[in-house]
Amino acid sequence: MRIQNPVRLAIASCLLTLIPLSVTAQFAKKEDAIKYRQSAFALMSAHMGRIGAVVKGEAPFNAADVQKNAAIIATLSELPWPGFGANTEGGKAKPVIWKETAKFNGHSDKFIKAAADLNAAAKTGNLDQVKKAFGATGQACKACHDDYRDK
Ligand code: HEC
């Protein structure tokens, strides 16, 4: 009968570690998920700004730099979304996101595609193509913010 206590303890500690995991998927706390997605957006914004300066003619066109930034944006475009798991409402994210998951995911998919297109355009080294793809990517950011981000 002695064996029961350690077994019970083991089961109890397993359950304890499982509870936070089931609440926020890959994040220990809701705040961690919010911070993670906000950090990804902040980085995305910084690298969009670098290409934006070139597109607006405020910085010289250096194809290699644009390629580097576009590749980073394409990678970052995949990151924020796991940070919107169940029970992670907060920050400037509108609560309706968690009611319209399919529509929100539609926006993020469209944006990921736009960022991939921008990455492909950057690889051509053609500024006109970069401008066009950059505009479409910016539109994808804005379309989602209009519906799902608090001002
Ligand atoms: C599918 C929706 C969606 C797309 C696409 C999207 N965002 Fe956002 N963005 C959000 C939401 C929602 C928040 C608020 C997150 C929060 O506060 O928890 C946000 C927050 C931000 C923030 C503030 C981050 C902070 O530090 O609080 C910036 C900057 C930002 N987004 C930039 C961008 C840029 C630039 C793009 C495109 C390159 C983009 N976002 C694409 C939904 C989106």
Side-chain angles (χ1 to χ4, degrees):
M1 285 297 109
R2 262 229 210 106
I3 200 145
Q4 261 188 357
N5 282 340
V7 168
R8 269 200 203 133
L9 258 181
I11 292 170
S13 68
C14 279
L15 286 177
L16 276 177
T17 48
L18 279 175
I19 289 164
L21 281 179
S22 65
V23 169
T24 54
Q26 324 171 29
F27 300 95
K29 291 181 299 198
K30 168 184 176 162
E31 290 71 27
D32 293 347
I34 295 173
K35 205 171 155 197
Y36 181 91
R37 69 195 186 213
Q38 289 179 339
S39 306
F41 285 128
L43 286 172
M44 234 148 59
S45 180
H47 291 277
M48 281 292 282
R50 289 180 199 170
I51 300 181
V54 174
V55 164
K56 285 186 233 149
E58 293 165 3
F61 175 48
N62 176 315
D65 279 353
V66 168
Q67 273 179 40
K68 218 190 272 174
N69 284 307
I72 291 168
I73 292 162
T75 301
L76 292 172
S77 72
E78 311 256 0
L79 296 188
W81 324 118
F84 288 93
N87 304 310
T88 62
E89 289 88 342
K92 288 198 167 163
K94 288 195 172 156
V96 71
I97 289 171
W98 287 268
K99 298 203 175 84
E100 301 177 354
T101 313
K103 214 177 138 205
F104 182 75
N105 291 344
H107 276 286
S108 62
D109 288 348
K110 219 173 145 193
F111 164 64
I112 291 168
K113 167 87 174 55
D117 289 348
L118 174 60
N119 194 21
K123 283 181 182 157
T124 68
N126 178 310
L127 182 56
D128 284 336
Q129 292 205 35
V130 168
K131 281 184 180 169
K132 217 175 134 216
F134 179 83
T137 306
Q139 273 310 108
C141 309
K142 187 178 179 300
C144 187
H145 290 164
D146 284 349
D147 286 352
Y148 295 114
R149 185 178 73 166
D150 279 335
K151 300 273 152 15

